[in-house]
């Protein structure tokens, strides 16, 4: 692939996938990280609990409106499944590796002070491991707002085009 894209934990997985792809093929696909977290040490990710899934769903509904009961149950099952798969993969992954390919990080800046400090530390960690990093900061969106914003598709498209055009 020329570009691997992921949002949130999907971006973390995309990054690890790009590193592994590079190791096996000596090709460095560009990576687009949508407000993704990169661990600074070995991590023990626990699968999402039912209570945590409901919290995520309520935060999502704050941005997209109330879901029907059927959609809510489907989303609930998908969240539990996807986070359990992500936890298994991340728990077996090596510590956050360096990467020579191009990486674009999209950061949501809206949030409480703790979130802002964690995001700043996360960006600094990524800068230490990635030679070719560009950062796009979205001031008026939090993590969920960034994910669920229809305008994000346009932003990501522009960023991906820039990564591929400059390859």
């Amino acid at each position: 692939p020329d570009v691997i894209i992921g949002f949130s934990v999907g971006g973390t997985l995309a990054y690890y996938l790009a590193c592994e792809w590079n190791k096996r093929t000596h090709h460095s696909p560009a990576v687009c990280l949508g407000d993704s977290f990169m661990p600074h040490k070995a991590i023990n990710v626990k699968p999402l609990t039912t209570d945590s899934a409901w919290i995520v769903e309520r935060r999502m509904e704050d941005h997209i409106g109330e879901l029907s009961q059927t959609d809510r149950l489907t989303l609930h099952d998908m969240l539990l499944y996807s986070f359990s798969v992500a936890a298994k993969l991340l728990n077996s992954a090596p510590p956050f590796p360096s990467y020579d390919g191009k990486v674009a990080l999209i950061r949501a800046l809206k949030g409480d002070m703790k979130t802002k400090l964690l995001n700043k530390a996360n960006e600094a960690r990524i800068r230490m491991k990635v030679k070719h990093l560009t950062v796009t900061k979205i001031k008026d969106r939090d993590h969920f707002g960034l994910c669920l914003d229809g305008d994000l598709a346009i932003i990501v498209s522009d960023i991906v085009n820039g990564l591929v055009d400059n390859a």
Side-chain angles (χ1 to χ4, degrees):
D2 291 325
V3 181
I4 303 173
I5 303 169
F7 183 82
S8 192
V9 72
T12 308
L13 295 172
Y15 184 88
Y16 278 99
L17 177 62
C19 291
E20 185 64 26
W21 187 269
N22 176 261
K23 188 167 43 170
R24 293 182 186 200
T25 68
H26 304 290
H27 170 69
S28 300
V31 183
C32 185
L33 306 172
D35 213 35
S36 300
F37 173 78
M38 293 299 162
H40 61 286
K41 59 184 179 181
I43 54 176
N44 180 19
V45 178
K46 294 181 173 72
L48 200 63
T49 65
T50 298
D51 288 343
S52 297
W54 289 124
I55 291 169
V56 170
E57 291 157 29
R58 282 192 291 280
R59 290 287 311 277
M60 292 175 77
E61 283 185 323
D62 288 346
H63 292 281
I64 62 173
E66 190 171 341
L67 297 170
S68 70
Q69 186 64 24
T70 301
D71 288 345
R72 185 177 291 119
L73 290 173
T74 301
L75 175 62
H76 184 80
D77 288 344
M78 292 304 298
L79 284 169
L80 291 174
Y81 173 76
S82 62
F83 273 82
S84 74
V85 170
K88 288 176 190 173
L89 290 170
L90 289 172
N91 289 339
S92 65
F96 179 42
S98 296
Y99 188 63
D100 289 333
K102 294 180 180 182
V103 176
L105 172 63
I106 304 171
R107 277 188 51 203
L109 296 182
K110 188 175 179 185
D112 61 22
M113 187 53 70
K114 180 181 177 183
T115 300
K116 289 178 182 181
L117 290 172
L118 287 172
N119 283 341
K120 194 171 186 177
N122 184 52
E123 182 182 331
R125 242 187 335 275
I126 294 171
R127 284 191 186 285
M128 288 190 300
K129 298 285 188 165
V130 175
K131 289 182 183 179
H132 311 287
L133 177 68
T134 58
V135 180
T136 302
K137 299 176 181 181
I138 310 297
K139 294 179 182 175
D140 61 345
R141 296 288 186 274
D142 65 5
H143 184 76
F144 288 100
L146 184 62
C147 170
L148 300 169
D149 187 340
D151 293 337
L152 180 64
I154 296 167
I155 294 167
V156 170
S157 176
D158 290 345
I159 290 169
V160 168
N161 285 333
L163 288 170
V164 173
D165 291 344
N166 297 321

